[in-house]
Amino acid sequence: MTAFIQHLASEKRHSPRTCDSYQRDLQRLAIWLVEQGNPEWRNVSGYDLRRYVANLSRAGLSGRSIARHLSAIRRFYQYLLRERLATDNPALDIRAPKSSRRLPGVADVDQLNSLLDAVPGDPLEVRDRCMFELMYSSGLRLAELASLDIDAVDCHGGEARVVGKGGKTRLLPVGRKALEAIAQWLPIRAALAPEAEPALFVSRRGDRISHRSIQARLSRWGVVKGADQKLHPHMLRHSFASHMLESSGDLRAVQELLGHADIATTQVYTHLDFQHLARVYDQSHPRARRRKSRDYNEQNAGQEGTT
């Protein structure tokens, strides 16, 4: 298992976060196998893995989480086959149970505008607003924002060069408000960061800001500035995608901006858009309100008969 994780990190160039995820999933399987009296990888069968999937399901894992476990196991056995440490891949035909797809949370346009227009109270809040403006302006992932270097943003051209999943680079437009926020942040950053620090966003100590700090600062910003719901980085990305799709209707363009390899991943936002349309329909169309009107009329008729 250790050799496999090293293989992912060195040969496949997976991120430390991805490697940690694979290791946790495989360790969980290894512990379960030992408990079942089957400590050898080469002796694991498809039947064993079906029992393991059932065990994960009983433990409350979603279909998506179980699918991630199975993906890690399949990749691990591909490696074992390459190293001649196994004779087959028992996970090939195992599928995770389907679960309902949870739609991402999206913030209201007016509320986001109000939150991002709030006046920063100190230098670190200037940085915070800049981070959140850029995340919403360009649909950045948390990891993409944290890894952004100062030379990756072209303020004159209004674009940012972002390294996404799998080390893929994409060029994204940066909106006017985000550019203004960057211009306000750069003088403060210069006073905090040493000259050799490449990161665009730095902590109070002058080093690259961590993922956890960004999450905590966004949550704090929402509380201090009066948000109606808890804010988190992925909500800003989801809001970017949903608002872009509502305005443009161009699913392919939104896919490119988000850096999704598969358009099916982007299509979840069409469901969000439909939900919005359905709510408007239910509230506005006279035939959609028929039941409420009928119940009201029946109630009145009953009262008139009593009178």
Side-chain angles (χ1 to χ4, degrees):
M1 194 193 307
T2 302
F4 170 64
I5 300 302
Q6 291 173 347
H7 158 75
L8 291 180
S10 59
E11 293 184 40
K12 297 299 183 180
R13 300 301 181 98
H14 286 319
S15 70
R17 186 180 294 268
T18 300
C19 292
D20 289 344
S21 177
Y22 272 93
Q23 187 164 9
R24 283 194 305 271
D25 291 347
L26 291 173
Q27 283 176 339
R28 183 166 183 167
L29 172 61
I31 291 170
W32 183 83
L33 288 171
V34 170
E35 290 173 350
Q36 304 303 309
N38 187 5
E40 298 292 334
W41 293 117
R42 67 173 64 247
N43 295 332
V44 176
S45 67
Y47 173 74
D48 294 323
L49 291 184
R50 287 187 180 88
R51 290 176 56 223
Y52 179 62
V53 166
N55 176 266
L56 294 178
S57 182
R58 285 194 299 271
L61 269 70
S62 67
R64 187 172 181 178
S65 295
I66 295 174
R68 192 199 68 219
H69 275 260
L70 288 171
S71 176
I73 296 167
R74 277 191 286 271
R75 289 285 299 277
F76 180 48
Y77 270 93
Q78 287 172 5
Y79 172 79
L80 292 180
L81 286 169
R82 194 190 78 168
E83 299 297 314
R84 299 185 178 180
L85 297 173
T87 56
D88 69 338
N89 189 335
L92 281 181
D93 297 325
I94 311 297
R95 295 290 177 265
K98 290 186 177 180
S99 58
S100 58
R101 190 165 190 179
R102 187 177 61 182
L103 294 177
V106 174
D108 178 74
V109 174
D110 292 334
Q111 185 185 72
L112 265 185
N113 284 332
S114 176
L115 288 171
L116 294 175
D117 286 340
V119 178
D122 57 53
L124 289 183
E125 283 199 354
V126 173
R127 176 205 62 194
D128 295 345
R129 185 174 70 169
C130 182
M131 291 192 300
F132 310 147
E133 279 280 10
L134 191 53
M135 189 173 283
Y136 177 55
S137 169
S138 303
L140 301 184
R141 298 180 176 96
L142 172 61
E144 293 170 348
L145 181 79
S147 65
L148 205 59
D149 288 341
I150 193 168
D151 62 359
V153 179
D154 179 3
C155 292
H156 296 291
E159 57 190 26
R161 189 177 66 257
V162 175
V163 180
K165 287 186 176 181
K168 295 179 181 177
T169 302
R170 65 188 193 279
L171 201 61
L172 297 175
V174 179
R176 176 178 57 85
K177 288 284 190 179
L179 292 172
E180 292 173 359
I182 292 172
Q184 293 173 5
W185 159 240
L186 288 179
I188 298 172
R189 179 201 172 278
L192 291 174
E195 190 173 342
E197 176 57 61
L200 175 59
F201 296 111
V202 297
S203 68
R204 190 192 304 271
R205 298 184 302 274
D207 56 351
R208 188 182 296 275
I209 193 168
S210 69
H211 295 191
R212 190 176 296 275
S213 292
I214 296 173
Q215 291 169 323
R217 295 296 293 191
L218 178 55
S219 178
R220 174 187 178 277
W221 183 275
V223 172
V224 172
K225 307 304 179 184
D228 293 338
Q229 56 196 129
K230 185 176 180 181
L231 300 183
H232 54 85
H234 230 50
M235 179 184 286
L236 294 184
R237 177 171 160 86
H238 291 325
S239 299
F240 160 84
S242 182
H243 299 164
M244 283 289 296
L245 193 58
E246 285 177 14
S247 300
S248 69
D250 192 332
L251 189 65
R252 185 68 68 180
V254 174
Q255 177 195 3
E256 291 295 324
L257 290 169
L258 291 173
H260 286 161
D262 187 351
I263 198 168
T265 310
T266 318
Q267 283 175 328
V268 67
Y269 298 104
T270 63
H271 301 314
L272 286 172
D273 197 29
F274 177 78
Q275 283 189 341
H276 169 72
L277 292 175
R279 283 196 300 271
V280 172
Y281 176 85
D282 287 340
Q283 293 167 4
S284 307
H285 197 288
R287 300 294 284 182
R289 293 179 294 158
R290 182 172 57 85
R291 175 173 296 178
K292 185 181 292 185
S293 300
R294 185 186 63 196
D295 292 345
Y296 175 79
N297 291 336
E298 288 176 353
Q299 183 180 1
N300 282 353
Q303 290 175 347
E304 289 172 3
T306 303
T307 304

